[in-house]
Structure formats: C-alpha cells, structure tokens
Amino acid sequence: MEQVIIPTTDDSRQEKPVFSPALRKAAEVISYLSHPLFLPILVTMFLANAMPEYFVLFKQDSVRFAFDKLFIRVLFSTLFLPLFVVALCKALGFVTSFQLRSQKDRIIPYIACTTFYFWTYFAFKREAVAPPFFNAFFLGIFLAIVIGMVANTYVKISMHTIGWGGVVGFLLMLMIGMNMNISLVLMVAFLITGVVGTARLLLGAHTPAEIYAGFILGIISQLIAYGIAG
C-alpha cells in the first residue's frame, strides 16, 4: 500500500531543509570571512582612504605607511584582544567552541568586548583627533554589544548581522547626517549583509528572527550613537 503523507502545520514534525555539502562549506567560509570582529578595521581602512581629509593628523603620525599607527591601534583593541580572550576561554574550558554557538559561550566574550570597544571609543574621544563620526562608530559598536549581551540572557541574536547592521546604520548616518553621496557603498553593504544572513541560515546557526533582530539592533545602535557623539 502506498504511504500517504498528510501535510501538517506542526513545526515539530516538519523536517528542516538539507543543503549540499558544497553549499554549506561556502556558507561556512562566508561566515568566517564576514566575522564582525573584522568590521572595525575594515571600516577604519575604508574611512581613512576614502576621506583622508578627516584623518590628516593620523597620517602625519604614520611611521612606515599611511595611517599605520591608526590601523595598529584599531587592530589591537578590536581584533587581537577579543580573539585572545576567546582563545583563553577555550583553553580554560569556559567555552565549548570558537564559533560561540551557544548563549552560554557568548557571555565572557560579550563582557570582554564591551570593555575593549568602550576603551577604543573613550581613547579616541579623549584624544580629540579623530572626527566625531569615527568616534560615534565605535560608540555604536559598544552600545550594540551591551544590548546584545543583555538580550543574550533571554534570546540568541546573530552577532554577524549585528555587526553588518551596524555598518549599514553607520553608512546611513553618513548619508543623512553629513550629506555624503555613498549610495553605491550602502548598496554593497546591504548586499553583503544579505549574503551573510543567508549563510548563517544555511548553517542552521540562527533562525530568521535572530538574523533580523541582529540587523535591526546594529542599525539602531549606530543611530543612537550618532545622535550622541556624531
């Protein structure tokens, strides 16, 4: 007798889609390359090269190549230190995976990142050399991490889309607040955000709600930060 499968609206009985190993591997590579820890230095490099007139003093302070000290500062506080904390937590058994898949794994890295990013914002702000929108960018990252850390107690939110939502929000503020014509860059940022969110869905790392929540959180954090320090 032929078996008949009756459609059901019960989510617990529906099977999740299965993707090919090649597609999942591509999604994994995209997830690594688009990790939010890389975004501060990428945005810094973009701003310094696209708008050098705002970073003249940093260029004058260079040693080997233009803006080298600025790039090293950002790399150290926003990439090296967070990676060091995650590696230390992994070595001590505080986290189960470098991917920080569970809410519990994210607690210590969240706390560490709030410290590092606020330090970065405060140092640039006190130095009074960087343009206000640059300071606002790091303040926005700090706010996003704080809100994400609080939300992590109750729900899981995509850190990838928090980061890329922050980039989109920052670019929106440059367009609206400073009347800069960066529509092409903004379109590229939207496209990359969509690709990153899709990659996280393909890997089963997040639900659509977690993806959208991270994206909205990233944008709102930058809007608030620009209103404070921009």
Side-chain angles (χ1 to χ4, degrees), residues 108-207:
I108 296 178
Y110 262 133
I111 295 174
C113 284
T114 57
T115 304
F116 300 143
Y117 280 101
F118 183 78
W119 171 29
T120 304
Y121 160 72
F122 182 77
F124 280 123
K125 180 73 173 179
R126 186 172 183 179
E127 192 177 22
V129 174
F133 62 81
F134 188 67
N135 297 333
F137 172 65
F138 286 101
L139 177 61
I141 299 176
F142 166 74
L143 293 176
I145 296 175
V146 170
I147 298 173
M149 180 175 62
V150 174
N152 184 69
T153 308
Y154 307 98
V155 294
K156 184 181 177 184
I157 300 178
S158 171
M159 293 189 295
H160 280 74
T161 54
I162 288 177
W164 284 99
V167 172
V168 170
F170 176 68
L171 294 175
L172 283 172
M173 286 302 93
L174 291 183
M175 285 190 66
I176 299 171
M178 301 186 65
N179 296 319
M180 292 186 178
N181 184 13
I182 52 174
S183 55
L184 180 60
V185 179
L186 183 61
M187 289 173 59
V188 172
F190 265 112
L191 177 61
I192 295 175
T193 303
V195 172
V196 172
T198 303
R200 302 304 289 166
L201 289 174
L202 289 175
L203 293 173
H206 294 284
T207 64

Side-chain angles (χ1 to χ4, degrees), residues 94-121:
F94 294 147
V95 301
T96 58
S97 170
F98 284 113
Q99 284 75 28
L100 306 178
R101 292 190 176 94
S102 68
Q103 291 169 252
K104 183 179 179 181
D105 284 348
R106 298 181 177 201
I107 295 175
I108 296 178
Y110 262 133
I111 295 174
C113 284
T114 57
T115 304
F116 300 143
Y117 280 101
F118 183 78
W119 171 29
T120 304
Y121 160 72

